[in-house]
Amino acid sequence: MKLAQRNLSDLQGVVDFLAKNNDLIRVRNPVDLKHELVGIAKRFEGQKPVLFEKVKGQKAPVLIGLLWNREILARIFGTTFENLSYALAGAVTAWQRSPIEPVVVSAGPANEVVEKEVDLTRFPIPWHALKDGGMYIDSGVFIARDPATGVRNASIHRAMVAGKDKLTMLLDLGRHLRSYYERAEAKGKALPLTISIGVDPAVYMASIIPASGAPMEMDELGIASELLGEPLKLIKGKKVNVEGVANAQYIIEGELLPKVRDWEGPFAELTGYYGARDKRWVVKVKAITRRRNPIYHTILAGKEIWNSVGLLAEAAAFRLLSNLVPGVAGVYFSHGGCGFYHAIVRIKKGREGIAKNAIVVAFSSIPALKMVTVVDDDVDIYNPEEVEWAMATRFNPDTGLVLIKDAVGHELNPSTRAGLGTKIGFDATVPFPKETKFERVRTKEVDLSKYKIDRA
Ligand code: MN
């Protein structure tokens, strides 16, 4: 990967790279942060990233869509669509064997300017969907230290601007930051943290690694070092004793207050539904630093999350499956499954029953996973029509169905109840040994360039 050597270790470098490859859409008119910016972005979802050059009342441009196209993301990481998650999985394995610890430097671009007054409402933070409760920071990397062990954690959370110096946020169950917070809160203490906005893709990917890839005792920012090809640089906070990302565009410093909850939401979530309004965790902001000429980075909840959080979940599932189940040839967390509710596993079946083992192992990659479909290695897992064909002609509901009732599911998925969801596995592979009736029709391979064909 070696993003640092390719000048992709900060967002400016990435934007230049996109522009050079003709992979960037530029919106030149001034747009409104409230609803209009995202309304335009939505029309380009899944295509090229969009740079809003002028935002009403702001100096900084806003970038959205950096992660919503897997082909473009693969180009940034120097690999291909199919290989991207496996390459990320390889980086996680390399990091687990010999971690490259981040280094703390005295100053960096992210604190070139220290804002005199803390006022979040003056920043180019978009108001996304029509029923959202306010302006939302949705691409900020939250860094904190475990009050018990001092180990650093990096993770991404949604946070609503609830006042000039106040954010309300979701700390969903099972996240390491929530465990850190609960340890601090039990002692009546606040949890200091930084929020780095506008990080490079290596830091972004490191921050969304699921717990099955980066356990709580390990600092996942080391994965960013692995992807960059050099130790990631961090800088100490001005007002809090935690580091932020030196190359970020902005750093917000603050603390999660103990025993305090306030209104947060609704927010347009990755599922295509609104996360409900409720009393949630509160961050008191103490300082804001930034680059002299920053780019504000936001993401559109949808394909961007499927292609990033889902991609890392896919990488985690691939690592587990290739270690534990013989014959696994590929995994894809489909977009129809919101990037992490449906895993499609491709397997070269060497014995009967092995597809069922693959289902069970895949479920252990992330608790959010709801469906697993296992297909033979002659099926294109990236093509929903092929997967449906395998379901329609190979899946036998009598013998191929696996149900795990009322396991821990994903609380953002509206089909769960009180965090519980039933998981379902489909063995859509042919019986082993393969009966002749399952032989797939093949036709002659031809080179169309040799023929005169009138397509009109
Ligand atoms: Mn962690």
Side-chain angles (χ1 to χ4, degrees):
M1 303 259 171
K2 308 241 184 280
L3 293 174
Q5 281 97 317
R6 294 168 54 222
N7 298 317
L8 298 177
S9 66
D10 76 354
L11 212 55
Q12 274 81 0
V14 173
V15 168
D16 292 345
F17 176 82
L18 293 171
K20 200 177 71 197
N21 289 331
N22 193 24
D23 277 340
L24 186 69
I25 293 167
R26 294 172 189 274
V27 178
R28 315 250 188 211
N29 308 55
V31 298
D32 210 312
L33 277 174
K34 187 170 181 177
H35 300 155
E36 190 183 13
L37 185 146
V38 162
I40 296 168
K42 185 74 186 167
R43 302 291 289 271
F44 296 101
E45 189 177 16
Q47 302 175 37
K48 296 172 182 181
V50 181
L51 185 68
F52 289 90
E53 294 184 334
K54 294 194 183 82
V55 176
K56 285 178 190 165
Q58 301 287 338
K59 282 201 182 113
V62 175
L63 179 71
I64 192 166
L66 180 60
L67 310 155
W68 66 30
N69 180 314
R70 187 160 165 171
E71 302 271 357
I72 293 174
L73 203 54
R75 275 200 276 286
I76 291 171
F77 281 99
T79 182
T80 59
F81 179 100
E82 289 83 0
N83 255 318
L84 181 55
S85 66
Y86 311 143
L88 292 168
V92 173
T93 304
W95 163 73
Q96 288 184 338
R97 287 206 190 106
S98 57
I100 310 170
E101 296 300 333
V103 292
V104 180
V105 297
S106 54
N111 60 17
E112 279 171 352
V113 176
V114 180
E115 294 290 336
K116 288 189 193 79
E117 188 202 347
V118 170
D119 184 357
L120 291 165
T121 63
R122 288 177 34 236
F123 286 85
I125 306 169
W127 188 309
H128 289 76
L130 295 176
K131 287 196 173 172
D132 280 4
M135 296 156 75
Y136 261 93
I137 296 169
D138 65 351
S139 68
V141 173
F142 289 62
I143 299 177
R145 285 182 180 279
D146 186 337
T149 65
V151 173
R152 230 176 352 236
N153 189 71
S155 49
I156 295 178
H157 307 264
R158 68 180 205 219
M160 188 178 89
V161 176
K164 283 185 173 187
D165 62 348
K166 180 175 167 185
L167 292 165
T168 50
M169 66 177 291
L170 173 66
L171 273 181
D172 31 340
L173 209 60
R175 306 291 294 274
H176 293 159
L177 184 63
R178 172 138 167 196
S179 305
Y180 289 11
Y181 171 76
E182 283 170 355
R183 284 172 178 176
E185 190 184 40
K187 292 182 176 165
K189 287 190 172 158
L191 182 75
L193 53 77
T194 60
I195 307 168
S196 300
I197 299 172
V199 297
D200 65 88
V203 172
Y204 194 91
M205 291 299 171
S207 312
I208 55 181
I209 180 92
S212 65
M216 197 149 81
E217 312 73 59
M218 285 185 85
D219 175 5
E220 51 269 273
L221 285 172
I223 299 169
S225 307
E226 187 68 44
L227 295 169
L228 290 165
E230 64 178 37
L232 172 70
K233 293 187 189 73
L234 301 174
I235 41 175
K236 272 241 176 312
K238 300 275 180 197
K239 293 275 177 70
V240 297
N241 189 22
V242 197
E243 298 78 23
V245 178
N247 257 345
Q249 306 294 313
Y250 299 84
I251 299 178
I252 296 171
E253 302 179 15
E255 52 185 30
L256 268 163
L257 303 176
K259 316 278 182 205
V260 179
R261 302 290 186 273
D262 208 341
W263 291 106
E264 186 266 343
F267 179 62
E269 269 295 349
L270 63 113
T271 50
Y273 299 98
Y274 286 99
R277 187 168 172 84
D278 205 347
K279 285 202 161 182
R280 298 199 176 90
W281 297 264
V282 175
V283 176
K284 159 102 174 138
V285 177
K286 297 183 141 186
I288 304 175
T289 69
R290 62 171 172 86
R291 291 182 175 227
R292 208 157 283 128
N293 296 301
I295 302 171
Y296 187 85
H297 178 222
T298 191
I299 60 173
L300 184 63
K303 288 190 182 185
E304 292 221 63
I305 300 181
W306 309 346
N307 260 336
S308 52
V309 183
L311 200 64
L312 266 295
E314 185 180 302
F318 182 72
R319 288 179 65 246
L320 287 172
L321 284 161
S322 45
N323 284 340
L324 298 171
V325 184
V328 169
V331 187
Y332 180 52
F333 280 48
S334 66
H335 278 187
C338 298
F340 47 75
Y341 296 141
H342 188 191
I344 302 153
V345 181
R346 186 168 158 257
I347 196 167
K348 190 169 172 49
K349 199 170 173 182
R351 58 185 291 190
E352 196 44 59
I354 203 76
K356 297 259 177 67
N357 295 62
I359 289 168
V360 173
V361 170
F363 277 132
S364 64
S365 60
I366 53 161
L369 189 59
K370 177 183 174 182
M371 299 154 65
V372 178
T373 303
V374 185
V375 296
D376 293 290
D377 66 340
D378 61 344
V379 174
D380 178 2
I381 55 178
Y382 304 105
N383 182 343
E385 202 169 291
E386 284 258 314
V387 175
E388 189 182 355
W389 172 82
M391 284 292 288
T393 64
R394 295 177 171 182
F395 171 65
N396 177 352
D398 237 8
T399 55
L401 190 70
V402 176
L403 274 182
I404 303 166
K405 288 198 174 156
D406 286 339
V408 170
H410 195 223
E411 56 189 328
L412 291 180
N413 186 323
S415 71
T416 60
R417 282 190 311 275
L420 293 184
T422 294
K423 299 186 188 282
I424 188 162
F426 304 98
D427 173 358
T429 60
V430 305
F432 185 88
K434 193 171 174 175
E435 299 166 46
T436 51
K437 65 176 181 178
F438 286 109
E439 187 179 346
R440 205 168 172 177
V441 171
R442 293 270 171 235
T443 49
K444 186 177 168 67
E445 292 280 343
V446 291
D447 178 2
L448 278 188
S449 67
K450 289 181 181 163
Y451 302 83
K452 283 183 184 165
I453 298 175
D454 189 351
R455 291 173 191 266

